[in-house]
Amino acid sequence: MRSNKIGWLLLAPTLTILGLFGIVPFLYVLYVAFHQWNPFGANPGMIYNGANNFRRLVVDGEFLTSIYYTALFAFFAVVSEIILGYLLAQLFTKDFPGKAVFRTIHTLPLIVAPIVVGSVWRLMTTPSIGIIPYYLKYWFGYDLNIGSNATAAFALTVIMDIWHWTPLVTLTLLAAIVSLPKDPFEQAQIDGANRWQIFWHITLPMIRPAILATVFIRLMDALRTVDEVWMLTGGGPGAATRYLGLHIWKVVFPKTDYGYGSAISIIVLYLTLVMCWLLYVGLVSPRAKKRII
Amino acid sequence: MDHPIDLEQADDEARVVEASLKRSGFLPIVTNWFDRLFMGIYLFVALELLWMRFLEQSIPLTVCHVIAIALGALIVWKG
């Protein structure tokens, strides 16, 4: 009994903080999602409207489009980051001249605030003054204008995200790779396994938990990205980069439609949980013919 | 030091494990009750949203509530 009390006592601060800053706001957003609430409108009070906000969002073209583009963005960004991050992590396990300098420079984007990343990329991609459109025109004759070319704007937001967050993936995968035991690799080499076989049958299964944790973190981040994209493209042109976070921001702040914005937030949370759960089930959860309890 | 292996006991243990593997549950993954509750809630929300999008014009949402709750209960108890 005594050890239980000490355990609960030690957990109390964490549970209090989680409750205050996680569960209470979530319940409040859920409560608001079932109301019509425009605090700056003619009728500033909350009016209960049942599931009308959810009815509205399942036929809202803008919202459904933003889900589509967000899913595309998250897919391209996370997959590219994992592949690039793994390759860089493997590179950092080898010795080469200037490794320490390169590793430091490579990690620098991580310490830059997203809003700054967005503004720097905006400066670099603005036609007529940006370095990227200048060199694309000079070398390839390509006119880059993210204000009018939707595909280019989308691609640039993905590239910006990759540039910003690949170092995080590299660091987590590097930590996983250097902590692997040497024996299985030596045994595989003695048995005549080639590089691909060693990667596929030994390295990948052993670092799978680290990959999965990284994918979860990056996926959740990608699904709620706002500030970088807001600075770079403002959600345009059209709806090409109007990702879910930006869409919620536009509904809640300029339109002050708090009830509808809360309903969208709940659905975004739901989609994030479903995606992470499906990933977990697909990659980690044992296939079985049995169940616990 | 050699410890003789009790083959009878090993067989009994194997039978117990085998029996536990064949416990009922139609889901293709290992789950505990909380996982199944979670799945039930996922499906409840998904069904409600899809119903509102495609069927509510012709069939009232109450029907969806009943189906979704029944499905959730089935997953929690038999999944």
Side-chain angles (χ1 to χ4, degrees):
Chain A
M1 282 304 285
R2 207 187 69 181
S3 63
N4 260 352
K5 275 185 187 168
I6 291 172
W8 281 111
L9 197 69
L10 291 170
L11 272 176
T14 309
L15 291 177
T16 311
I17 290 169
L18 183 69
L20 276 178
F21 298 108
I23 294 169
V24 171
F26 165 72
L27 292 176
Y28 184 66
V29 171
L30 191 62
Y31 173 76
V32 175
F34 287 92
H35 291 78
Q36 184 193 329
W37 187 29
N38 190 336
F40 305 106
N43 190 355
M46 277 194 206
I47 303 163
Y48 177 74
N49 67 354
N52 281 350
N53 288 328
F54 295 95
R55 269 191 196 96
R56 186 175 149 196
L57 70 80
V58 292
V59 292
D60 181 352
E62 281 188 353
F63 170 68
L64 298 175
T65 308
S66 76
I67 286 187
Y68 171 72
Y69 281 117
T70 308
L72 272 186
F73 170 77
F75 174 78
F76 285 119
V78 175
V79 169
S80 311
E81 283 161 20
I82 294 293
I83 294 171
L84 265 177
Y86 176 77
L87 292 175
L88 284 166
Q90 281 291 3
L91 180 69
F92 286 137
T93 59
K94 312 276 187 293
D95 281 326
F96 57 89
K99 176 181 163 183
V101 176
F102 180 55
R103 193 165 58 187
T104 309
I105 292 172
H106 154 271
T107 316
L108 283 178
L110 270 185
I111 58 172
V112 184
I115 197 86
V116 178
V117 171
S119 19
V120 169
W121 274 78
R122 171 123 194 185
L123 277 176
M124 291 197 305
T125 54
T126 303
S128 80
I129 61 164
I131 188 169
I132 294 175
Y134 174 78
Y135 278 111
L136 282 177
K137 179 79 180 167
Y138 186 71
W139 286 333
F140 307 107
Y142 177 73
D143 269 323
L144 176 72
N145 187 347
I146 59 169
S148 61
N149 186 337
T151 311
F154 175 80
L156 263 176
T157 57
V158 174
I159 292 167
M160 177 178 64
D161 198 77
I162 292 169
W163 177 83
H164 195 188
W165 293 112
T166 298
L168 174 79
V169 179
T170 307
L171 292 182
T172 50
L173 295 189
L174 182 63
I177 289 170
V178 296
S179 66
L180 292 179
K182 298 270 184 290
D183 296 354
F185 295 94
E186 289 169 359
Q187 285 163 3
Q189 280 173 336
I190 290 167
D191 289 343
N194 60 32
R195 281 185 177 188
W196 170 252
Q197 287 169 325
I198 291 175
F199 165 73
W200 189 252
H201 295 292
I202 300 176
T203 313
L204 201 58
M206 290 174 89
I207 63 168
R208 197 167 60 174
I211 292 177
L212 195 71
T214 315
V215 168
F216 279 170
I217 294 169
R218 285 304 311 132
L219 184 64
M220 286 185 270
D221 270 349
L223 290 175
R224 61 186 172 83
T225 189
V226 179
D227 28 17
E228 286 168 319
V229 179
W230 172 248
M231 276 310 297
L232 181 61
T233 64
T241 59
R242 189 169 170 162
Y243 304 135
L244 280 168
L246 267 176
H247 185 68
I248 293 172
W249 184 85
K250 286 187 173 177
V251 168
V252 170
F253 289 97
K255 294 184 181 171
T256 64
D257 195 347
Y258 283 64
Y260 187 50
S262 300
I264 297 178
S265 305
I266 293 290
I267 294 303
V268 173
L269 174 68
Y270 169 79
L271 291 176
T272 310
L273 283 173
V274 169
M275 280 189 207
C276 289
W277 182 79
L278 286 176
L279 264 178
Y280 175 78
V281 168
L283 297 178
V284 173
S285 183
R287 300 272 171 281
K289 315 133 187 180
K290 64 167 181 175
R291 73 180 198 194
I292 302 163
I293 297 173
Chain B
M1 274 178 64
D2 287 336
H3 293 289
I5 299 168
D6 186 346
L7 290 176
E8 291 293 324
Q9 191 186 348
D11 283 347
D12 287 344
E13 284 171 7
R15 271 193 289 273
V16 170
V17 172
E18 183 73 9
S20 69
L21 285 173
K22 285 181 180 168
R23 278 184 65 180
S24 61
F26 57 81
L27 293 171
I29 53 166
V30 177
T31 56
N32 59 32
W33 71 270
F34 188 78
D35 292 331
R36 295 194 291 280
L37 178 68
F38 220 49
M39 280 180 235
I41 294 170
Y42 286 163
L43 279 176
F44 182 90
V45 175
L47 266 177
E48 296 275 333
L49 291 174
L50 289 171
W51 200 282
M52 281 192 270
R53 177 75 171 85
F54 297 109
L55 294 174
E56 203 185 4
Q57 304 296 325
S58 48
I59 311 171
L61 198 59
T62 316
V63 179
C64 178
H65 295 337
V66 174
I67 293 173
I69 289 171
L71 190 62
L74 184 71
I75 286 171
V76 171
W77 279 316
K78 299 281 182 187

